[in-house]
Amino acid sequence: MTGDNITQIYTNKTIFIDDTANEIKMKKKIFEGIFKWISFSLFCGIVILNTIVIGLLMKRKKKSRMGFFVANLACADLCVGLFHVLPETIHVWFEIDWNEFTCHIFYGYLATFSFYVSTYAIVVLSIDRMNVVVKPLSTVTKLKTYRCGLALSSWILGSLLAIQYVVHVTYYSPKKYLKDACLHEFPYDQELRYFDVCVLLIIPIILIITCYIMIYMAIHRRHTCKFMTTNSNSDGMHERVNFNAKMRTVKQLFVVSVVYVICWTPLFSASLLCYYNVLKFGITYRVLVGLAPLNSLTNPVVFLLFNHNIFCKCRKSSNKNTIVLKTNSSSTNVKIVNAT
C-alpha cells in the first residue's frame, strides 16, 4: 500500500469522525432547544395550576380539613416551581449566568428545601386521612392547632434537611473560570445519594403504605362489626355519605402517592447507576432530572379531576333533597326540603 493510499484512508477517517461529532453536537443542540421550552412549560403549568387550586380552596366558604392539607401541598408544589424549576430553566437551559446570590440561595438551599417540603406534605396528608378514618370521633384531630402543627412539620423538616446542601454548594465565577457554574460538592457523595433515596423515596413510601394499611384495617373492622349500616333511615344515609366522601379523598391521595413514586423512582435509579458507571451522564439523566418536578404538576391536576364540581359557582339545588308528595283526596302538593 502506497503512502498516498494510507494518507487517503486517514483523511477519510478524519472526515467521518468530524461528521459524527458534528451530528452529535447538532442533536444535542436540538434536544436542548426543545427541552428548555418543555422546562419553561413545566414551570408555567406548576405555577398556574397550583395557584388555581389555592385560589379555589381559599374562595370556599366552608373550609374542610382535606382542603387545608391540599392547600398546604399546593403551596409546597408552588415553591418547587418558583425555587427549583424557574432557576433551573433560566440558568441551565437558557444559559443565563449564575451569580453568587442565586447559586447559594436558590440552587444551594431553596431548590432542595421545596422538594423535601412537597414530599412530606404528601406524607402529612396521608397521616391526616388515616386519623380521619381510624379516629373519626377524636376531638384532638379536629383542633386548629393539630392541623397547623401537622402541616408545619413538613416545612420544618424540609428546612432542616436542606441545610447540608447550602453548606456544600460552590459558585464558580466566569471571571476566574471559562464558564460560570454552580455545583454541589460533597465529601460524602455516595452516602448522600443513599440518604436522598431513603429520605425522599423509601421513608415516605413506608409511611404512606403504613397509613393505607391502617385505613384498610379500620374500614374492614367497621364492616365486620356492622358499623356501616345499610338501612334507609337518615342516620344510615348520613353515615354512607360520610363514608363515600372519605373513600373519595383516600382514592385521591392514593393516586397522588402513586404518581409521586412514578416521577421520582427513575431519577434516583439513574443517579445510583451513574455513580457506579452503569449509566453514563448524558441526555437520559438530564431528562430525568428535568422531569422529576412533574410530580408538582400532576398533584393539582389530580385534585381538580377528583373535585371538578368545585368550579360550579352556583349550585341551586345540589345540596338539597326535595321530595314532592301529592295526596289523592285534596290534590295538594306538599314539598319537604331537607338540607344536607
Side-chain angles (χ1 to χ4, degrees):
M1 183 178 292
T2 62
D4 292 338
N5 291 333
I6 294 174
T7 303
Q8 184 66 32
I9 290 173
Y10 278 107
T11 302
N12 291 337
K13 285 184 177 180
T14 303
I15 294 172
F16 176 75
I17 292 172
D18 290 340
D19 290 342
T20 304
N22 291 332
E23 185 179 354
I24 293 174
K25 289 181 180 179
M26 185 64 67
K27 289 181 178 179
K28 184 179 179 181
K29 288 183 179 180
I30 294 173
F31 159 75
E32 290 178 349
I34 294 174
F35 202 83
K36 70 179 182 180
W37 292 109
I38 293 177
S39 181
F40 180 75
S41 301
L42 180 61
F43 160 71
C44 293
I46 290 174
V47 172
I48 292 172
L49 290 176
N50 283 288
T51 302
I52 290 174
V53 169
I54 295 171
L56 290 173
L57 290 173
M58 294 296 292
K59 191 177 181 181
R60 298 182 70 180
K61 294 181 180 180
K62 186 179 179 181
K63 303 295 189 298
S64 64
R65 285 175 59 174
M66 181 66 180
F68 175 81
F69 286 103
V70 169
N72 179 62
L73 176 59
C75 290
D77 288 333
L78 185 61
C79 290
V80 173
L82 295 174
F83 299 149
H84 175 81
V85 181
L86 180 59
E88 186 85 4
T89 302
I90 293 175
H91 296 293
V92 176
W93 297 110
F94 284 89
E95 298 182 348
I96 297 175
D97 290 344
W98 292 93
N99 57 61
E100 196 163 356
F101 175 79
T102 56
C103 177
H104 285 86
I105 300 301
F106 285 94
Y107 183 79
Y109 185 76
L110 292 178
T112 311
F113 160 76
S114 60
F115 275 136
Y116 283 128
V117 176
S118 177
T119 299
Y120 284 93
I122 298 175
V123 175
V124 163
L125 190 55
S126 303
I127 294 173
D128 178 69
R129 290 300 92 192
M130 179 193 68
N131 289 330
V132 168
V133 176
V134 176
K135 302 176 181 178
L137 302 178
S138 176
T139 56
V140 176
T141 58
K142 295 179 181 180
L143 298 175
K144 186 177 180 180
T145 307
Y146 157 81
R147 288 186 294 175
C148 294
L150 190 60
L152 189 61
S153 63
S154 61
W155 295 85
I156 295 175
L157 184 62
S159 62
L160 294 176
L161 291 174
I163 291 176
Q164 60 177 332
Y165 285 87
V166 72
V167 171
H168 296 288
V169 69
T170 304
Y171 171 66
Y172 294 95
S173 173
K175 296 180 180 179
K176 297 181 180 180
Y177 302 91
L178 295 176
K179 189 178 180 181
D180 78 309
C182 187
L183 303 172
H184 282 120
E185 297 179 341
F186 293 94
Y188 46 92
D189 187 52
Q190 181 181 6
E191 292 80 1
L192 180 71
R193 291 174 188 268
Y194 285 106
F195 176 80
D196 280 342
V197 171
C198 291
V199 174
L200 286 172
L201 192 64
I202 295 177
I203 293 177
I205 290 175
I206 291 175
L207 293 175
I208 291 171
I209 290 176
T210 302
C211 291
Y212 272 102
I213 291 175
M214 297 292 290
I215 290 171
Y216 172 79
M217 291 176 62
I219 294 174
H220 180 71
R221 183 170 61 250
R222 290 179 187 177
H223 275 288
T224 55
C225 297
K226 296 181 180 180
F227 286 161
M228 296 300 300
T229 60
T230 57
N231 53 21
S232 58
N233 57 35
S234 59
D235 293 336
M237 181 65 72
H238 181 70
E239 186 69 21
R240 284 194 296 273
V241 169
N242 286 337
F243 174 76
N244 291 333
K246 291 176 183 178
M247 288 307 299
R248 182 166 58 86
T249 57
V250 169
K251 291 176 182 178
Q252 174 181 325
L253 179 58
F254 176 78
V255 175
V256 169
S257 304
V258 171
V259 171
Y260 174 81
V261 174
I262 293 174
C263 290
W264 281 97
T265 301
L267 174 60
F268 288 122
S269 301
S271 177
L272 293 176
L273 292 175
C274 283
Y275 181 80
Y276 291 106
N277 296 321
V278 178
L279 178 68
K280 292 183 179 180
F281 178 84
I283 293 177
T284 302
Y285 184 80
R286 293 183 68 184
V287 169
L288 292 175
V289 172
L291 293 180
L294 189 63
N295 171 66
S296 297
L297 177 67
T298 57
N299 288 340
V301 172
V302 171
F303 171 78
L304 294 174
L305 289 176
F306 274 83
N307 302 274
H308 55 85
N309 58 344
I310 200 173
F311 287 106
C312 300
K313 295 181 179 179
C314 297
R315 302 179 64 188
K316 295 181 180 180
S317 60
S318 59
N319 293 328
K320 297 181 180 180
N321 296 325
T322 303
I323 304 174
V324 178
L325 300 178
K326 185 175 182 179
T327 59
N328 293 328
S329 58
S330 59
S331 299
T332 305
N333 292 332
V334 180
K335 182 181 288 187
I336 302 174
V337 179
N338 180 24
T340 57

